[in-house]
Structure formats: structure tokens, C-alpha cells
Amino acid sequence: MFSLILQSAINFFLMVVSDLHEQSFDTCLLVVPLATGLMHFFQAPNTEGLGQAAIFLAVLVWLAFTGKMGSGDVWHFLLLSLNFSCPVAVKSFLLASLLAIAHALWHKRPGKEPFAFLPYLFWGLNLQFFL
């Protein structure tokens, strides 16, 4: 079990690094985190914030279909919800959004320019454990 969790963490990190450099990642990196997330969810179901996360996920899927967000970001949010908890995933996403906005304002980035969002999700996840 520990090796699966370690493999899942490595896959999360590889997704972030790949998204940072190429703004995409291999779909095969989703398999292990999805398996560990589903095992975690079905062994100890945590329904706290499930409705909130479902609504948030629906908005993210809509944003992905309209081209305003990549589908990898939606997958990463789903994996965060399964591997941690729904409130952790929503807080991570909101912190990541604030970090991305602050970074865009600081560097005066044009609004229509695409950028990698998974690194912000990574820092949003880590930051929320320190706040």
C-alpha cells in the first residue's frame, strides 16, 4: 500500500513538471493516482463537502469544454478530491487561482495567454497545510 501511495505522489509530481514545461502530461500518469484515490474513497468514504466539490467539478468541466481551462486541470482536481478530501481540493484550487492571478498581475501577463495551472495547484495544496 505504501508503495502505491509513493507511486501516486511521484505521478502527481511528474504531472506538475510536465505541465510546467509542455502544458500537457501523459494520460498514463493518471492511472496510479486514480487507483489510490478510489481505494482511499471506498475504504473510508469522506462525504464532507462532496456536494460542494461536485458543483465545483461541474463548473470546471464546463470551463474545460468551453476551452477556458485544460482537461488536465479538471483531472487533477478530481484526483485531489479522491486522494485527500473534497474541502482540501476546493481550498487548493482557490489558493491556486489566487496565486495564478497574483503571478499574472506581477508579471503583467496578457489575459488571453495560456499558462500551466498544475504548478499553482501544487503550491495551493502545499500552502493550505501551512495556513
Side-chain angles (χ1 to χ4, degrees):
M1 181 67 177
F2 179 73
S3 64
L4 274 177
I5 294 171
L6 181 62
Q7 179 78 27
S8 182
I10 291 170
N11 283 9
F12 272 128
F13 186 72
L14 288 175
M15 282 187 265
V16 169
V17 171
S18 178
D19 190 53
L20 180 63
H21 293 291
E22 301 172 18
Q23 290 189 359
S24 67
F25 58 85
D26 291 333
T27 309
C28 64
L29 292 174
L30 295 171
V31 174
V32 175
L34 185 60
T36 58
L38 288 173
M39 284 181 0
H40 177 259
F41 183 76
F42 286 119
Q43 286 177 351
N46 185 0
T47 58
E48 177 189 354
L50 191 60
Q52 175 189 19
I55 292 170
F56 204 76
L57 184 62
V59 169
L60 295 181
V61 168
W62 176 75
L63 287 172
F65 277 127
T66 58
K68 299 192 183 334
M69 176 176 277
S71 61
D73 303 324
V74 177
W75 274 107
H76 204 77
F77 174 77
L78 178 65
L79 293 175
L80 287 178
S81 297
L82 289 173
N83 283 290
F84 293 99
S85 68
C86 297
V88 168
V90 171
K91 288 176 192 173
S92 297
F93 200 90
L94 293 176
L95 283 171
S97 299
L98 291 174
L99 288 171
I101 290 169
H103 188 259
L105 289 174
W106 183 267
H107 291 285
K108 298 177 182 148
R109 182 179 300 176
K112 299 285 184 179
E113 182 182 324
F115 63 95
F117 190 68
L118 286 187
Y120 296 105
L121 272 174
F122 174 77
W123 288 111
L125 176 67
N126 290 315
L127 185 61
Q128 78 162 332
F129 291 121
F130 294 111
L131 295 178

